Amino acid sequence: EAGVTQFPSHSVIEKGQTVTLRCDPISGHDNLYWYRRVMGKEIKFLLHFVKESKQDESGMPNNRFLAERTGGTYSTLKVQPAELEDSGVYFCASSPDSYVQETQYFGPGTRLLVL
Amino acid sequence: AQSVTQLGSHVSVSEGALVLLRCNYSSSVPPYLFWYVQYPNQGLQLLLKYTSAATLVKGINGFEAEFKKSETSFHLTKPSAHMSDAAEYFCAVRKGGSNYKLTFGKGTLLTVNP
């Protein structure tokens, strides 16, 4: 069974440009999460999808970030326009259900560097 | 609000020595606790989780953790370190109810010396 995959693995862009990150969850997982780790800080929650619906987007930093999950399969996270402070590692995770003890399976992350 | 504190951003041990990575949490309700590990150039992998079934939890690769409510701790241990254990370790807490997000500590980088 394939794990959570993320694309690209690395992205280097200039301030003001747009970047789109993609996450493919494990097949059949209705729940998809985005997290971010800024250098030197802890991994922080961004948002949670249940199928194609946003369940919780309380962690999204500002309106420059837009997440979508059309059709309830893969998800994209767009940053437009990118700022220096957006640099970090963006992780995606998925789980089959939303039970509190459910394991979230993480992808390898996308390393974003904004210059 | 819940939070997680990992004492020591970097821990160094000798091969064969005891590994002890500390995690303390604060939560207003009974928490669910997780330890994840990130090997170089890989994603986070679940080591073990506490879901109130037993206070001593055994995980993969010989790791275990003990939930101590009185100390609000969930320290990770392994009796004998192996070179392959070198990685970054993250403690995380998830509150009960409908709150699905994980709250992570800052991580502890474990170095194993030959």
Side-chain angles (χ1 to χ4, degrees), chain B residues 48-51 54-59 63-67 74:
Chain B
L48 49 81
K49 60 184 178 182
Y50 167 74
T51 59
T55 57
L56 182 62
V57 182
K58 294 188 183 299
F63 284 93
E64 63 181 37
E66 186 172 8
F67 173 69
F74 190 57

Side-chain angles (χ1 to χ4, degrees), chain A residues 14-73:
Chain A
E14 293 188 352
K15 176 182 172 181
Q17 289 185 322
T18 298
V19 63
T20 300
L21 314 180
R22 174 171 169 144
C23 169
D24 286 78
I26 293 172
S27 178
H29 283 195
D30 287 341
N31 292 269
L32 188 148
Y33 311 81
W34 283 98
Y35 293 84
R36 177 176 75 169
R37 188 184 192 193
V38 173
M39 189 181 296
K41 303 281 189 177
E42 62 271 30
I43 300 168
K44 285 195 173 180
F45 168 83
L46 296 178
L47 86 160
H48 170 209
F49 283 100
V50 177
K51 296 184 180 179
E52 67 275 8
S53 299
K54 293 177 185 175
Q55 181 79 10
D56 179 358
E57 51 183 331
S58 62
M60 294 287 265
N62 50 61
N63 59 11
R64 295 186 293 103
F65 289 75
L66 175 64
E68 295 180 321
R69 194 183 181 196
T70 306
T73 54

